[in-house]
Amino acid sequence: MIFDPAKLLLVSGPCSLENEGVCRAVAAALVRLGRSHPELCIVFKGSFDKANRTSLAGERGTGLAEGLRLLALVRAEFGFPVLTDVHETGQVRAVAAACDVIQIPAFLCRQTDLLLAAGASGRAVNVKKGQFLSPQEMAHVTGKLRSVGATEIWQTERGTTFGYQNLVVDMRSFALMRQNGRPVIFDATHSVQLPGAGDGRSAGQREFVPPLARAALAAGADGLFIETHPDPDHAISDGPNMVPLPELPGLIAGCLAIWKAARTAGS
């Protein structure tokens, strides 16, 4: 098992794996963060394919082979469990061989065949709750995974569509989704995304990441999903909602204080 209830789970890394330089910079910063805060359980994440770009002109990333090479490098040299997302059942076997956690994207969270393939892989599975889904409906998603023997299942809240090009986070989601008996993570960076609002690409409001992350932990979230980048304004995807890498340590220190206080209050 990767998830440890005695630690705050932090899934972090760049939105797109991009290149070796970005991966090494982020992984090195996460190593330093872990040494400063042993109460963290850190999982490195990165996508090899941004398959749901707003526009056909959007960059999609490294591709499967190069992406898995970069994740294997991070796993071997920096010691982190690694996570990436899959979009088709045919990708599951290769990803399971290289990664510790398989992620199901929000738009695909009801795709039965994809869920069953990931659940049967023997790896931990993180499912993003779709922007169109109620928290109560995640019971059916986790049920599909359990039906094929998945033993470690994570549920991730990433906001709900609220009108056009906006998302809102219902803090009740954490308590409701925890009723499924599986850890619940808050995706603090995609929740501040403004889908399709950037003239052919998504915009975002990264200034709201810290207050929403702290609120989610106070509401009972078991972990955080935070994308970060050395230079978000020049990242190939989701730059407006990623946390600049130098700001990550301060953000996590504040989040840990809230997490510890919430655990004390609940004990």
Side-chain angles (χ1 to χ4, degrees), residues 3 22 59 159 165 227 258 265:
F3 175 73
V22 167
E59 294 187 64
Q165 300 176 327
E227 292 186 336
I258 298 296

Side-chain angles (χ1 to χ4, degrees), residues 4-8 217 222 256-267:
D4 181 350
K7 294 187 175 185
L8 176 64
L217 292 172
D222 300 294
L256 278 167
I258 298 296
W259 176 73
K260 291 174 184 176
R263 287 166 62 86
T264 300
S267 61

Side-chain angles (χ1 to χ4, degrees), residues 22-229:
V22 167
C23 290
R24 285 186 178 277
V26 174
L30 291 175
V31 167
R32 294 191 293 271
L33 189 65
R35 287 173 179 164
S36 298
H37 300 290
E39 61 271 54
L40 289 174
C41 173
I42 300 175
V43 175
F44 182 92
K45 66 80 52 186
S47 297
F48 61 82
D49 183 13
K50 306 307 297 180
N52 63 346
R53 297 299 81 196
T54 302
S55 164
L56 186 60
E59 294 187 64
R60 291 185 58 168
T62 64
L64 178 62
E66 175 62 7
L68 294 184
R69 183 191 75 82
L70 291 171
L71 289 165
L73 180 153
V74 168
R75 192 192 207 185
E77 294 191 17
F78 296 91
F80 292 118
V82 295
L83 170 155
T84 197
D85 36 3
V86 293
H87 305 273
E88 303 170 2
T89 56
Q91 297 172 341
V92 170
R93 179 176 295 181
V95 169
C99 298
D100 304 277
V101 187
I102 296 175
Q103 181 166 283
I104 306 298
F107 286 135
L108 300 178
C109 70
R110 287 182 55 174
Q111 294 298 107
T112 299
D113 289 344
L114 189 59
L115 288 166
L116 296 181
S121 69
R123 295 300 190 182
V125 181
N126 180 37
V127 185
K128 295 280 193 79
K129 179 177 76 64
Q131 300 91 320
F132 48 86
L133 217 63
S134 70
Q136 293 91 333
E137 290 172 271
M138 284 297 287
H140 304 298
V141 175
T142 58
K144 291 178 183 180
L145 291 167
R146 288 197 304 271
S147 75
V148 288
T151 56
E152 185 161 9
I153 301 167
W154 306 345
Q155 310 165 91
T156 295
E157 168 63 65
R158 58 139 305 153
T160 299
T161 301
F162 188 72
Y164 294 120
Q165 300 176 327
N166 194 29
L167 299 168
V168 67
V169 180
D170 182 350
M171 292 293 161
R172 296 173 297 180
S173 293
F174 303 105
L176 290 169
M177 291 162 66
R178 286 189 84 186
Q179 293 175 8
N180 298 327
R182 308 292 174 165
V184 183
I185 303 166
F186 175 52
D187 184 344
T189 41
H190 285 102
S191 291
V192 301
Q193 189 182 66
L194 301 175
D199 189 22
R201 60 189 303 172
S202 291
Q205 298 172 308
R206 72 168 69 105
E207 65 270 24
F208 294 118
V209 169
L212 284 175
R214 293 192 294 264
L217 292 172
D222 300 294
L224 294 173
F225 181 108
I226 298 179
E227 292 186 336
T228 185
H229 192 282

